[in-house]
């Protein structure tokens, strides 16, 4: 169903395709799996740190019989030039066009993590590193979190929610901005919102003024909600968002219109240090289910009592990254 496809943005997958991969993950988790990727190779390139994505991708691929090479930018590979036609007299020793084509000779898939690196959100949202690899590679590309999206995280989140609630149509998800001392990427909340809309959930997006998600992603979320029977509403009130929700998904993210102006962004953020998920807040939900993509700043973003509560899903959510990744690799590459 998704054989040979890039897993770069959820926009390119239908709800049926998303549900199919989740059903494969359920089955592989319950029944086991063979070694369908024996003799195949995955090249991972990290431009930013990672614990869960790095470990789950590598273990998923190798447990299916494949070989993984893990490359960290600026340590293991040459500085990459992204501009077509550039006169490469600066610090970049290799063009992304060559890196992507050469890795395609060795590997059956390439996985990229590349977060924000420019000052201007209009430039940033073009996701140039990921898109350049996609343009020049001849093998499937997996997005391990980019500026705009973290599709494999969102896919694993949906697996976790399905395990709890079954069909997600009509379930209420509260996606809530929480305080963090640093401006975190937008890819996780973007992916969560797109996934919820595609699966027909009733989504509440809660954030203080100035922390809107990217306008293009919001358009995609609204369109998918309309097409697939979901709803989207916005509030700035945490208690309003949590009340009656089936699950609260906490995330912190930066203000796109202050991107590249860290002092102003920090000042705006500092007005919201009280935005933290507490046990009292979770008591307003239907079931106390709590999601966070991690890493989580304990007692800043969410209290220990929430993260460690029996109804918290965060560790299973992280664990399911492995199970959904096996399913995605098997379906795309086998
Ligand atoms: N959630 C997630 O992607 O974690 P890492 O940044 O540790 O990979």
């Amino acid at each position: 169903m998704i054989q040979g496809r890039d897993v770069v943005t959820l926009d390119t997958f239908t709800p049926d395709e998303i549900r199919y991969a989740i059903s494969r993950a359920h089955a592989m988790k319950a029944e086991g799996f063979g070694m369908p990727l024996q003799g195949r190779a995955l090249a991972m390139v990290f431009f930013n740190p990672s614990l869960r994505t790095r470990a789950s991708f590598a273990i998923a691929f190798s447990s299916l019989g494949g070989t993984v090479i893990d490359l960290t930018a600026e340590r293991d590979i040459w500085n990459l030039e992204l501009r077509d036609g550039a006169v490469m007299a600066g610090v970049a020793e290799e063009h992304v066009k060559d890196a992507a084509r050469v890795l395609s000779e060795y590997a059956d898939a390439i996985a990229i993590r590349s977060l924000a690196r420019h000052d201007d959100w209009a430039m940033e949202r073009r996701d140039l590193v990921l898109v350049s690899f996609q343009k020049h590679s001849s093998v499937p590309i997996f997005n391990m979190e980019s500026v705009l999206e973290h599709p494999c995280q969102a896919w694993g989140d949906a697996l976790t929610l399905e395990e709890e609630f079954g069909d997600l149509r009509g379930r209420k998800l509260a996606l809530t901005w929480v305080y963090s001392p640093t401006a975190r990427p937008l890819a996780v909340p973007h992916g969560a919102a797109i996934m919820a809309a595609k699966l027909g959930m009733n989504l509440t997006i809660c954030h203080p003024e100035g922390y809107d998600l990217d306008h293009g992603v919001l358009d995609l979320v609204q369109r998918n909600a309309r097409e697939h029977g979901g709803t989207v509403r916005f509030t700035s009130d945490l208690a309003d968002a949590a009340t009656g929700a089936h699950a609260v998904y906490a995330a912190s993210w930066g203000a796109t219109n202050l991107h590249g102006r860290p002092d102003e962004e920090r000042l705006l953020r500092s007005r919201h240090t009280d935005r933290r998920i507490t046990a009292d807040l979770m008591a307003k939900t239907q079931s106390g289910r709590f999601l966070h993509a991690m890493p989580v700043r304990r007692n800043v973003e969410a209290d220990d009592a929430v993260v460690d509560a029996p109804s918290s899903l965060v560790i299973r959510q992280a664990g399911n990254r492995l199970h959904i990744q096996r399913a995605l690799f098997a379906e795309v590459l086998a």
Side-chain angles (χ1 to χ4, degrees):
M1 204 172 197
I2 60 171
Q3 194 172 16
R5 302 262 292 275
D6 290 336
V7 181
V8 162
T9 168
L10 293 170
D11 191 24
T12 56
F13 294 95
T14 65
D16 281 350
E17 289 168 340
I18 290 169
R19 290 193 182 98
Y20 174 72
I22 292 171
S23 72
R24 292 297 302 134
H26 281 307
M28 292 169 88
K29 204 172 166 178
E31 298 155 19
F33 41 86
M35 304 275 270
L37 299 187
Q38 216 153 23
R40 317 292 289 280
L42 170 70
M44 305 194 299
V45 186
F46 286 91
F47 291 82
N48 306 92
S50 165
L51 188 157
R52 279 143 290 272
T53 307
R54 186 190 297 272
S56 62
F57 267 64
I59 294 169
F61 203 88
S62 54
S63 67
L64 293 169
T67 299
V68 178
I69 180 153
D70 179 348
L71 301 165
T72 295
E74 292 175 19
R75 188 190 71 193
D76 300 325
I77 65 171
W78 305 105
N79 283 327
L80 294 182
E81 174 63 63
L82 301 179
R83 295 168 301 163
D84 285 338
V87 177
M88 290 176 52
V91 292
E93 291 97 341
E94 179 149 42
H95 202 284
V96 66
K97 176 192 291 191
D98 298 320
R101 290 194 300 181
V102 169
L103 285 176
S104 301
E105 293 286 310
Y106 306 145
D108 300 279
I110 299 172
I112 303 293
R113 166 164 290 198
S114 177
L115 307 182
R117 48 196 254 154
H118 303 285
D119 284 346
D120 173 21
W121 183 252
M123 179 70 173
E124 201 73 87
R125 69 184 304 285
R126 293 168 64 192
D127 243 337
L128 279 179
V129 173
L130 180 71
V131 167
S132 300
F133 269 97
Q134 192 177 17
K135 178 176 170 190
H136 296 295
S137 159
S138 57
V139 297
I141 295 285
F142 286 80
N143 180 352
M144 296 196 291
E145 188 175 356
S146 68
V147 176
L148 278 187
E149 269 192 66
H150 197 353
C152 299
Q153 173 73 54
W155 226 311
D157 300 341
L159 167 62
T160 306
L161 286 169
E162 268 207 19
E163 285 177 343
E164 286 300 302
F165 299 112
D167 192 335
L168 296 178
R169 277 173 274 226
R171 302 288 182 178
K172 295 178 189 165
L173 181 69
L175 176 62
T176 57
W177 187 97
V178 288
Y179 174 76
S180 168
T182 55
R184 300 280 301 148
L186 284 103
V188 165
H190 282 170
I194 299 167
M195 183 60 87
K198 284 203 175 259
L199 297 183
M201 299 185 79
N202 293 340
L203 173 67
T204 299
I205 301 176
C206 175
H207 58 75
E209 198 175 335
Y211 284 91
D212 307 71
L213 299 180
D214 174 77
H215 61 88
V217 170
L218 283 176
D219 288 348
L220 185 62
V221 169
Q222 301 272 20
R223 176 166 57 76
N224 274 282
R226 272 195 306 276
E227 287 174 5
H228 305 301
T231 59
V232 187
R233 77 177 181 102
F234 299 88
T235 180
S236 60
D237 182 345
L238 258 179
D240 173 35
T243 300
H246 288 96
V248 168
Y249 196 146
S252 196
W253 62 86
T256 56
N257 59 1
L258 295 179
H259 191 77
R261 286 146 60 191
D263 292 343
E264 290 172 65
E265 208 276 347
R266 205 173 299 117
L267 184 63
L268 177 62
R269 168 177 303 274
S270 69
R271 295 188 198 133
H272 305 293
T273 53
D274 59 340
R275 285 197 178 241
R276 187 178 86 254
I277 307 298
T278 63
D280 283 350
L281 190 77
M282 291 305 294
K284 298 180 188 301
T285 67
Q286 285 203 33
S287 61
R289 300 292 190 279
F290 175 69
L291 295 160
H292 191 294
M294 307 178 92
V296 57
R297 288 183 184 264
R298 284 169 174 264
N299 305 310
V300 175
E301 294 181 73
D303 286 353
D304 280 340
V306 173
V307 178
D308 297 329
S311 54
S312 167
L313 298 175
V314 294
I315 299 300
R316 181 139 56 90
Q317 182 187 5
N320 274 337
R321 295 289 308 278
L322 176 63
H323 300 293
I324 197 68
Q325 208 52 51
R326 267 201 202 101
L328 290 171
F329 284 144
E331 290 303 316
V332 170
L333 296 171

